[in-house]
Amino acid sequence: MSETLIEVADNAGIVRLTITRPKALNALNSAVLTELDAVLSDLEQRKDLRAVLITGAGEKSFVAGADIAEMRDKTPEQARAFAGQALKTIKRLETLPVPVVALVNGFCLGGGCELALACDWAVASDNAIFGQPEVLLGVIPGFGGTQRLPRRVGPAMAIDLVTTGRKIDANEALRIGLVNRVMPQAELEAYAEELTKQLSGNGPEAVRGAKQAVHDGLDQDLDSALALETSLFALCFAGEEQTEGMSAFVEKRKPNF
């Protein structure tokens, strides 16, 4: 029986994915990407999905990067295929219709940072270390880092990180906008539980629509993006969720979503 590389835990539509290669600091290899892609393909079909959390096993590493031992002897075409596999899987994570949260513990380097960049939120423990150190290995980021990083932190900071290969701690990552929250490692799990409760208490279709408006609007001019927002706002009034949410507010009770 093959080793399970992605642990899946489901709590009422809040799905937690854990990459389980702790001896390799959860490095991304072809097997991890294949299994993660299959899991995400299944999640895409879930109508009851509320949110996805992704993390790495153990306290030392979220994902330390792509598996260098696997990459070392690749030809250019093999490298292209490996990057294509990673890009496809990471894009699948990014385009899930629900909020995706990276819980970052320890090393979040190279492919790990690129994985976190595809998430809507990144919550880091105070031991987290971020970076795109690929130039130190004679390559550039190949899983989306040169494109998602400047969109997250701005081109100047992105150029700094991808050309120096330097690593930054959690507080600097927070300062430049790479992560949303930083907390003591001992509190990361409690925060994850609190966050899942908050997400599960919001209108699921409204949350999906809000994420779609932000993501799709970023690729459009302002007028087109505002028209998209208006359309998605109006669509909220076609279902029961808006009626329940507004009725609950008027009646001073908790909505039943």
Side-chain angles (χ1 to χ4, degrees), residues 201-236:
N202 297 332
E205 292 304 318
V207 170
R208 288 174 179 241
K211 174 172 176 172
Q212 181 184 349
V214 171
H215 278 267
D216 291 356
L218 283 172
D219 294 325
Q220 301 181 25
D221 63 81
L222 181 59
D223 287 342
S224 298
L226 290 172
L228 170 66
E229 180 187 82
T230 299
S231 296
L232 291 168
F233 172 73
L235 190 61
C236 292

Side-chain angles (χ1 to χ4, degrees), residues 47-117:
K47 300 299 184 184
D48 64 329
L49 194 64
R50 293 290 190 102
V52 172
L53 287 75
I54 187 164
T55 193
E59 298 180 349
K60 293 182 179 180
S61 181
F62 171 70
V63 171
D67 193 317
I68 296 170
E70 183 181 70
M71 290 193 296
R72 181 181 55 185
D73 297 322
K74 288 187 182 299
T75 67
E77 284 310 308
Q78 289 170 335
R80 181 188 296 275
F82 183 52
Q85 179 188 20
L87 288 170
K88 172 177 173 285
T89 299
I90 290 174
K91 183 68 174 179
R92 181 162 257 163
L93 178 71
E94 182 178 48
T95 55
L96 284 174
V98 298
V100 179
V101 182
L103 300 176
V104 181
N105 44 317
F107 295 117
C108 183
L109 304 173
C113 191
E114 289 166 309
L115 187 69
L117 284 167

Side-chain angles (χ1 to χ4, degrees), residues 24-242:
L25 297 177
N26 304 316
L28 301 176
N29 61 9
S30 297
V32 170
L33 292 169
T34 296
E35 189 169 329
L36 179 58
D37 193 68
V39 170
L40 295 173
S41 179
D42 290 340
L43 292 180
E44 287 173 341
Q45 311 306 315
R46 291 270 303 269
K47 300 299 184 184
D48 64 329
L49 194 64
R50 293 290 190 102
V52 172
L53 287 75
I54 187 164
T55 193
E59 298 180 349
K60 293 182 179 180
S61 181
F62 171 70
V63 171
D67 193 317
I68 296 170
E70 183 181 70
M71 290 193 296
R72 181 181 55 185
D73 297 322
K74 288 187 182 299
T75 67
E77 284 310 308
Q78 289 170 335
R80 181 188 296 275
F82 183 52
Q85 179 188 20
L87 288 170
K88 172 177 173 285
T89 299
I90 290 174
K91 183 68 174 179
R92 181 162 257 163
L93 178 71
E94 182 178 48
T95 55
L96 284 174
V98 298
V100 179
V101 182
L103 300 176
V104 181
N105 44 317
F107 295 117
C108 183
L109 304 173
C113 191
E114 289 166 309
L115 187 69
L117 284 167
C119 298
D120 300 304
W121 301 14
V123 181
S125 66
D126 55 7
N127 76 329
I129 301 293
F130 296 84
Q132 298 286 170
E134 288 87 349
V135 292
L136 304 179
L137 303 172
V139 297
I140 71 169
F143 295 178
T146 64
Q147 304 307 308
R148 291 191 177 93
L149 188 60
R151 286 168 167 79
R152 180 71 64 89
V153 305
M157 184 56 67
I159 285 289
D160 176 343
L161 294 175
V162 302
T163 60
T164 66
R166 71 183 181 93
K167 301 175 183 64
I168 62 174
D169 63 18
N171 287 327
E172 185 171 357
L174 178 64
R175 180 181 64 79
I176 67 174
L178 182 54
V179 302
N180 302 79
R181 303 280 190 281
V182 174
M183 62 198 58
Q185 186 175 21
E187 297 176 14
L188 188 62
E189 291 303 317
Y191 181 78
E193 183 175 346
E194 175 188 337
L195 179 60
T196 57
K197 287 180 180 178
Q198 181 179 0
L199 291 171
S200 63
N202 297 332
E205 292 304 318
V207 170
R208 288 174 179 241
K211 174 172 176 172
Q212 181 184 349
V214 171
H215 278 267
D216 291 356
L218 283 172
D219 294 325
Q220 301 181 25
D221 63 81
L222 181 59
D223 287 342
S224 298
L226 290 172
L228 170 66
E229 180 187 82
T230 299
S231 296
L232 291 168
F233 172 73
L235 190 61
C236 292
F237 289 77
E240 297 178 357
E241 190 172 295
Q242 168 267 331

